Amino acid sequence: MERADAARNRSAILAAASRLFAAHGVDAVSMDAIAAAAGVGKGTPFRRFGDKAGLAVALLDERERELQGRILSGEAPLGPGTDAAPPGPGTDTAARLRAFSEAYLDYALGHLDLLRMSETSSPGARYRIGSYRFWHRHTAILLGELGWVDPDAGAHALLAPLAAEHLGAVASELGTERLRRAAADHLDRLLGSGT
Amino acid sequence: MERADAARNRSAILAAASRLFAAHGVDAVSMDAIAAAAGVGKGTPFRRFGDKAGLAVALLDERERELQGRILSGEAPLGPGTDAAPPGPGTDTAARLRAFSEAYLDYALGHLDLLRMSETSSPGARYRIGSYRFWHRHTAILLGELGWVDPDAGAHALLAPLAAEHLGAVASELGTERLRRAAADHLDRLLGSGT
DNA sequence: TTCATAAACGGACTGCGGTCCGTTATGTTT
DNA sequence: AAACATAACGGACCGCAGTCCGTTTATGAA
């Protein structure tokens, strides 16, 4: 179990990081500054969170879990719904994918800079963090239900345009409204719009 | 025009970088090391290429231009072919997109680490470099010919799974063969496989 | 209460990307 | 050929992410 001082420092660091990120932007805040603001030594944030990306992940954790909860056990179309039947061709799998894409977009666009920090700090970071594995697994399962040949690979391809890096660039070039419409169109084309 | 010493240093730096990258991998080679190996001061590579990503772009330039040439004026299906007719619904636009995807995959998988360096150094780097604008423009034009509602946004979405970061992660998880098949499948779904 | 142990701490340290500015080379003009 | 203007140079310098290790502190056992 976690020692008392460790727990105290963890929350102090998270609070300081949250405050400084909101005030100056994620990129403009150094780990030194966070440690100083939290009243801890420079090494502590690294021991606690690994690196700056890990800190971002920890800050995103709460919102993330909420979305994951809605997916796992929330209402349709995002979640499985109250339907007692086991998941299968009966439920509208395509609708669940569409709902996921929209919900994820909402989540991501609301925390773009934090998400980008969590995904782009080290090479391949995005694909290693737990949350990506979750989104990937969820997507792959649904694609499997739809009969895709290689759901794992398909899920990666489906998630690629949802990367923070991509969203940030496209949103700033085309605006979020066009981005949302394009994401919906894209999914319709992949899943078959009418089906 | 470029001064003689500048030209000399530029090629010395490119040669040194190419050699060191091949020997130790892109990430393991510092700019200091490149400058030292090229026999120039530490500031020179930065003045010449801006940053490490710019150096990577310069090294990719030749291969890149070759592919761009084949697209602009090469044979079908990648290029417009010898067809004297103006581009339009007559030529097989979907086939050109498929050919582009395959050719780009070959190019990218052959230089993954260099490409990743060029795309992920600074936030949004990928979307600013000239070559991305080229691939995007080409793709958008073809999507326009196919009657897509928002070809610009569609092109971004189509290129997202071709990002170096994405290719690297998926290739190391699923292998290049599965990756290639998945990319082809993905495009088939987006364009309509039979059409 | 004391003690032992292991966890946590903190700040000095390293290496890197990138900048700055006084110095030097280049090529042009007279 | 000499002087001039300016482009290019080079290395000291900065800030940051991340590491290391001697020191401190929490905690459970004696």
Side-chain angles (χ1 to χ4, degrees):
Chain A
M1 60 163 281
E2 191 177 40
R3 251 170 62 169
D5 51 350
R8 209 180 325 125
N9 284 336
R10 141 175 285 130
S11 54
I13 290 165
L14 286 175
S18 177
R19 186 161 43 83
L20 291 177
F21 284 164
H24 308 104
V26 173
D27 292 329
V29 176
S30 72
M31 292 296 269
D32 283 47
I34 294 169
V40 301
K42 154 141 213 194
T44 303
F46 289 98
R47 194 171 337 94
R48 202 55 40 192
F49 300 102
D51 56 10
K52 205 176 176 182
L55 185 49
V57 167
L59 283 170
L60 288 170
D61 193 64
E62 191 182 344
R63 291 298 195 106
E64 209 167 70
R65 283 181 187 284
E66 187 255 349
L67 176 53
Q68 293 178 0
R70 282 196 287 148
I71 289 171
L72 286 177
S73 57
E75 297 178 2
L78 184 58
T82 53
D83 214 342
T91 48
D92 192 344
T93 303
R96 287 197 71 188
L97 276 168
R98 278 186 260 264
F100 164 68
S101 173
E102 275 184 38
Y104 185 84
L105 260 179
D106 283 340
Y107 158 70
L109 291 176
H111 312 278
L112 249 196
D113 48 352
L114 221 42
L115 205 59
R116 180 146 55 188
M117 174 60 64
S118 82
E119 292 186 353
T120 61
S121 66
S122 68
R126 174 176 197 230
Y127 301 85
R128 277 192 305 271
I129 57 183
S131 54
Y132 182 81
R133 312 290 292 209
F134 182 94
W135 317 129
H136 178 263
R137 186 175 205 84
H138 176 61
T139 308
I141 289 173
L142 295 182
L143 292 181
E145 288 180 15
L146 289 175
W148 282 37
V149 178
D150 189 342
D152 276 349
H156 282 305
L158 221 100
L159 292 174
L162 297 180
E165 176 86 0
H166 187 258
L167 295 180
V170 177
S172 77
E173 184 181 325
L174 306 177
T176 56
E177 223 20 78
R178 226 166 128 192
L179 168 60
R180 280 181 208 279
R181 257 199 304 276
D185 277 11
H186 197 69
L187 215 52
D188 282 346
R189 287 186 182 276
L190 280 170
L191 304 177
S193 58
T195 332
Chain B
M1 59 162 281
E2 189 176 40
R3 247 169 64 170
D5 51 351
R8 209 180 326 126
N9 285 336
R10 140 174 286 127
S11 54
I13 291 165
L14 286 175
S18 177
R19 186 162 42 85
L20 291 177
F21 284 164
H24 308 104
V26 173
D27 291 329
V29 176
S30 72
M31 292 296 268
D32 283 48
I34 294 169
V40 302
K42 153 142 213 194
T44 302
F46 288 97
R47 196 171 338 93
R48 202 56 40 192
F49 301 102
D51 56 10
K52 205 176 176 181
L55 184 49
V57 168
L59 283 169
L60 288 171
D61 194 64
E62 191 183 345
R63 291 298 194 104
E64 208 167 71
R65 284 183 186 283
E66 187 254 349
L67 176 53
Q68 292 178 0
R70 282 195 288 148
I71 289 171
L72 286 177
S73 56
E75 296 179 3
L78 184 58
T82 52
D83 215 342
T91 47
D92 193 344
T93 303
R96 287 196 71 188
L97 276 167
R98 279 186 260 262
F100 164 68
S101 173
E102 274 184 38
Y104 185 84
L105 260 179
D106 283 340
Y107 158 70
L109 291 176
H111 312 277
L112 249 196
D113 49 351
L114 220 42
L115 203 60
R116 180 145 58 188
M117 174 59 63
S118 82
E119 291 185 355
T120 60
S121 67
S122 69
R126 172 174 198 229
Y127 302 86
R128 279 193 304 270
I129 56 183
S131 54
Y132 182 82
R133 312 290 292 206
F134 182 94
W135 317 129
H136 178 264
R137 187 176 205 84
H138 175 62
T139 308
I141 289 173
L142 295 182
L143 293 181
E145 288 180 16
L146 289 175
W148 282 37
V149 180
D150 190 342
D152 275 348
H156 282 305
L158 220 101
L159 292 173
L162 297 179
E165 175 86 0
H166 187 258
L167 295 180
V170 176
S172 76
E173 185 181 325
L174 306 179
T176 57
E177 222 20 76
R178 226 167 128 191
L179 168 59
R180 278 179 208 276
R181 257 200 305 275
D185 276 12
H186 197 69
L187 215 52
D188 282 346
R189 287 186 183 276
L190 280 169
L191 304 177
S193 58
T195 332

